[in-house]
Amino acid sequence: MTGERRQQRRLRAVRVRATLIAVLAVAIALVAGGTALVLGLRSELSGDVRDAARARAQQVARVIDAGRGVPAPTVTDPAEEFLQVVDATGKVVAASSNVRGQPALARLKPGASASVRTPLDEDPFLVAAVGARDGDRQLVVLDGRAPAGVAEATSTVTRLLLIGLPVLLVLAAAATWAAVGLALRRVARAEAAQRRFVSDASHELRSPVAAVRQHAEVALAHPERADAQALAGTVHDEAVRMQRLVDDLLLLARADEGAPAAPRRPVDLDDLVLEELRRLRSTTGLRIDGTAVGAARVAGDEDALRRLVRNLGENAARHARARVAFTLADPGDGRVRLVVEDDGPGIPAADRARVFERFVRLDESRSRGAGGAGLGLAIVAEVAAAHGGSVRVEDVARFVVTLPSGERN
């Protein structure tokens, strides 16, 4: 099994486990919430039935307290309610027609309530007790009601929950599966990019190390023919190359990790461009044209912007035949425009976006010895993006950087 297939299987297993865990967590939450809902609904509805029974018992108690004797209580629905008036000994003094002749169906103190079995129904009734006084007698009025509505409502809600719970779990599973899949695809792409990055970086570092080792081995094997100055020059050049590569890799690694940006300060971009013009004129035999460089200020990290300008200058000088030109302008629309172009072979249209990727070299004039590590333009793109700008290739050999402008004093 190839490494790629093993990784796919591993990611699929992670996806399955994450989905199962999410579904289990949602199921527990839904079951707990549904149970609490049903119990709360039952308690609330039972309280309403109990309050209605107490209110009816209070009506009868007020008639008795008014000194009008014990009335013959009546109920609206004999199958759903009963009334009894009981004395202190538990003897029934009066009762509704549906329980007439029955003993006291409950022995409750005034103000109490209970669920009791009755001959009226298989299900228990909710009974509320209210005290009353008829002369010297202490009476208790009992009103019992069947909680049929409570059972029906809770049964309906329970059925709805039993239907809705699987649907919600399926939706949760589908959403989790999709979300985890998207996240894992991003992770897989990031891992693949990281592996390519490490592989390319290792390859780039191997070249200068191999060059230094080769020259050192030759010098050790033939000391009489060794040229110390030439060896020192080779070691110096390769060390500079390695240091530049390591610096580039560290800069890109910090960008990938989201390292905090340096404090933004006003930077005169024209000063950095003129500095690069002077450097190129002193290190190359090319004609460096800076006549179109105007004043422009941006807000940002001066060192990073200097790196951007230098990388563009080095790239143009590497591929130019005879001329490199810089243009810098601030047209007053809030954007500064820096253009660097050369008279070299240019970049094919199909490769103009790819040149900003890491470790990318085009075939023509881009050998490892002369073309660098393929990180210079990637750094240009990173720096431009970090400053809220962009970079693109126009025509065949013209790089255009656009940055937000800053205020000039």
Short mmCIF file of all heavy atoms in Angstrom, two decimals, residues 278-302:
data_model
loop_
_atom_site.label_atom_id
_atom_site.label_comp_id
_atom_site.label_asym_id
_atom_site.label_seq_id
_atom_site.Cartn_x
_atom_site.Cartn_y
_atom_site.Cartn_z
N ARG A 278 20.90 52.26 -6.86
CA ARG A 278 22.35 52.46 -6.62
C ARG A 278 23.06 51.11 -6.49
O ARG A 278 24.17 50.92 -7.00
CB ARG A 278 22.56 53.30 -5.37
CG ARG A 278 22.16 54.75 -5.54
CD ARG A 278 22.65 55.60 -4.37
NE ARG A 278 21.97 55.24 -3.12
CZ ARG A 278 20.84 55.80 -2.70
NH1 ARG A 278 20.24 56.73 -3.44
NH2 ARG A 278 20.29 55.43 -1.57
N ARG A 279 22.44 50.16 -5.80
CA ARG A 279 23.07 48.84 -5.62
C ARG A 279 23.23 48.13 -6.96
O ARG A 279 24.30 47.55 -7.24
CB ARG A 279 22.22 48.00 -4.67
CG ARG A 279 22.88 46.71 -4.23
CD ARG A 279 21.91 45.82 -3.48
NE ARG A 279 20.91 45.27 -4.38
CZ ARG A 279 21.10 44.19 -5.13
NH1 ARG A 279 22.26 43.54 -5.11
NH2 ARG A 279 20.15 43.74 -5.93
N LEU A 280 22.19 48.15 -7.78
CA LEU A 280 22.27 47.47 -9.08
C LEU A 280 23.31 48.12 -9.99
O LEU A 280 24.03 47.44 -10.73
CB LEU A 280 20.90 47.47 -9.75
CG LEU A 280 19.82 46.59 -9.10
CD1 LEU A 280 18.48 46.78 -9.80
CD2 LEU A 280 20.24 45.12 -9.15
N ARG A 281 23.40 49.44 -9.95
CA ARG A 281 24.39 50.13 -10.79
C ARG A 281 25.81 49.78 -10.37
O ARG A 281 26.73 49.75 -11.21
CB ARG A 281 24.18 51.63 -10.72
CG ARG A 281 22.97 52.10 -11.52
CD ARG A 281 22.57 53.53 -11.18
NE ARG A 281 21.40 53.95 -11.94
CZ ARG A 281 20.60 54.95 -11.59
NH1 ARG A 281 20.85 55.64 -10.46
NH2 ARG A 281 19.58 55.27 -12.34
N SER A 282 26.01 49.51 -9.07
CA SER A 282 27.36 49.22 -8.59
C SER A 282 27.73 47.75 -8.73
O SER A 282 28.91 47.40 -8.66
CB SER A 282 27.48 49.62 -7.10
OG SER A 282 26.63 48.82 -6.29
N THR A 283 26.75 46.87 -8.91
CA THR A 283 27.04 45.43 -8.97
C THR A 283 26.78 44.80 -10.32
O THR A 283 27.10 43.63 -10.52
CB THR A 283 26.18 44.69 -7.91
OG1 THR A 283 24.79 44.96 -8.14
CG2 THR A 283 26.55 45.13 -6.50
N THR A 284 26.17 45.54 -11.25
CA THR A 284 25.90 44.98 -12.58
C THR A 284 26.37 45.96 -13.65
O THR A 284 26.59 47.13 -13.38
CB THR A 284 24.39 44.71 -12.79
OG1 THR A 284 23.70 45.96 -12.91
CG2 THR A 284 23.81 43.92 -11.62
N GLY A 285 26.49 45.44 -14.83
CA GLY A 285 26.84 46.30 -15.97
C GLY A 285 25.63 46.71 -16.76
O GLY A 285 25.77 47.21 -17.90
N LEU A 286 24.44 46.55 -16.21
CA LEU A 286 23.21 46.87 -16.92
C LEU A 286 22.92 48.37 -16.85
O LEU A 286 23.41 49.08 -15.96
CB LEU A 286 22.04 46.09 -16.31
CG LEU A 286 22.15 44.56 -16.33
CD1 LEU A 286 21.03 43.95 -15.50
CD2 LEU A 286 22.09 44.05 -17.77
N ARG A 287 22.10 48.80 -17.77
CA ARG A 287 21.62 50.19 -17.72
C ARG A 287 20.37 50.20 -16.82
O ARG A 287 19.35 49.59 -17.13
CB ARG A 287 21.28 50.68 -19.13
CG ARG A 287 20.81 52.14 -19.16
CD ARG A 287 20.92 52.69 -20.57
NE ARG A 287 20.15 51.93 -21.53
CZ ARG A 287 18.87 52.19 -21.84
NH1 ARG A 287 18.24 53.19 -21.25
NH2 ARG A 287 18.25 51.45 -22.72
N ILE A 288 20.49 50.89 -15.70
CA ILE A 288 19.42 50.93 -14.70
C ILE A 288 18.70 52.26 -14.82
O ILE A 288 19.28 53.32 -14.55
CB ILE A 288 19.97 50.75 -13.27
CG1 ILE A 288 20.89 49.53 -13.19
CG2 ILE A 288 18.83 50.65 -12.27
CD1 ILE A 288 20.19 48.23 -13.55
N ASP A 289 17.45 52.21 -15.23
CA ASP A 289 16.67 53.43 -15.51
C ASP A 289 15.74 53.71 -14.32
O ASP A 289 14.86 52.92 -13.99
CB ASP A 289 15.85 53.21 -16.78
CG ASP A 289 15.09 54.47 -17.20
OD1 ASP A 289 15.16 55.48 -16.46
OD2 ASP A 289 14.40 54.42 -18.24
N GLY A 290 15.95 54.87 -13.69
CA GLY A 290 15.09 55.27 -12.57
C GLY A 290 14.45 56.62 -12.80
O GLY A 290 14.02 57.27 -11.83
N THR A 291 14.37 57.05 -14.06
CA THR A 291 13.84 58.39 -14.35
C THR A 291 12.36 58.50 -14.02
O THR A 291 11.85 59.62 -13.83
CB THR A 291 14.05 58.71 -15.84
OG1 THR A 291 13.45 57.69 -16.65
CG2 THR A 291 15.55 58.78 -16.16
N ALA A 292 11.64 57.38 -13.96
CA ALA A 292 10.20 57.45 -13.69
C ALA A 292 9.87 57.17 -12.22
O ALA A 292 8.72 56.86 -11.89
CB ALA A 292 9.46 56.45 -14.57
N VAL A 293 10.87 57.29 -11.34
CA VAL A 293 10.63 57.05 -9.91
C VAL A 293 10.20 58.35 -9.27
O VAL A 293 10.96 59.34 -9.25
CB VAL A 293 11.89 56.49 -9.22
CG1 VAL A 293 11.66 56.38 -7.71
CG2 VAL A 293 12.26 55.14 -9.81
N GLY A 294 8.98 58.38 -8.77
CA GLY A 294 8.46 59.56 -8.10
C GLY A 294 8.30 59.32 -6.61
O GLY A 294 8.50 58.22 -6.10
N ALA A 295 7.92 60.36 -5.90
CA ALA A 295 7.75 60.25 -4.46
C ALA A 295 6.51 59.43 -4.13
O ALA A 295 5.46 59.60 -4.75
CB ALA A 295 7.64 61.64 -3.84
N ALA A 296 6.67 58.52 -3.15
CA ALA A 296 5.53 57.70 -2.73
C ALA A 296 5.80 57.20 -1.32
O ALA A 296 6.93 56.79 -1.01
CB ALA A 296 5.30 56.53 -3.68
N ARG A 297 4.79 57.22 -0.49
CA ARG A 297 4.92 56.75 0.89
C ARG A 297 3.84 55.71 1.16
O ARG A 297 2.70 55.85 0.74
CB ARG A 297 4.81 57.91 1.87
CG ARG A 297 4.75 57.48 3.33
CD ARG A 297 4.82 58.65 4.28
NE ARG A 297 6.17 59.21 4.31
CZ ARG A 297 6.54 60.21 5.13
NH1 ARG A 297 5.65 60.74 5.94
NH2 ARG A 297 7.78 60.65 5.12
N VAL A 298 4.25 54.68 1.89
CA VAL A 298 3.32 53.64 2.31
C VAL A 298 3.50 53.43 3.82
O VAL A 298 4.50 53.86 4.40
CB VAL A 298 3.55 52.31 1.56
CG1 VAL A 298 3.32 52.49 0.07
CG2 VAL A 298 4.93 51.75 1.84
N ALA A 299 2.54 52.76 4.43
CA ALA A 299 2.65 52.41 5.84
C ALA A 299 2.97 50.94 5.93
O ALA A 299 2.26 50.10 5.37
CB ALA A 299 1.34 52.71 6.56
N GLY A 300 4.09 50.61 6.61
CA GLY A 300 4.43 49.20 6.69
C GLY A 300 5.74 48.95 7.38
O GLY A 300 6.28 49.81 8.10
N ASP A 301 6.28 47.76 7.15
CA ASP A 301 7.55 47.32 7.72
C ASP A 301 8.66 47.66 6.72
O ASP A 301 8.71 47.10 5.63
CB ASP A 301 7.47 45.81 7.99
CG ASP A 301 8.77 45.25 8.52
OD1 ASP A 301 9.73 46.02 8.73
OD2 ASP A 301 8.84 44.02 8.72
N GLU A 302 9.55 48.56 7.12
CA GLU A 302 10.57 49.03 6.18
C GLU A 302 11.48 47.91 5.70
O GLU A 302 11.80 47.82 4.51
CB GLU A 302 11.41 50.14 6.83
CG GLU A 302 12.46 50.73 5.89
CD GLU A 302 13.16 51.93 6.49
OE1 GLU A 302 12.70 52.42 7.54
OE2 GLU A 302 14.17 52.37 5.90
#
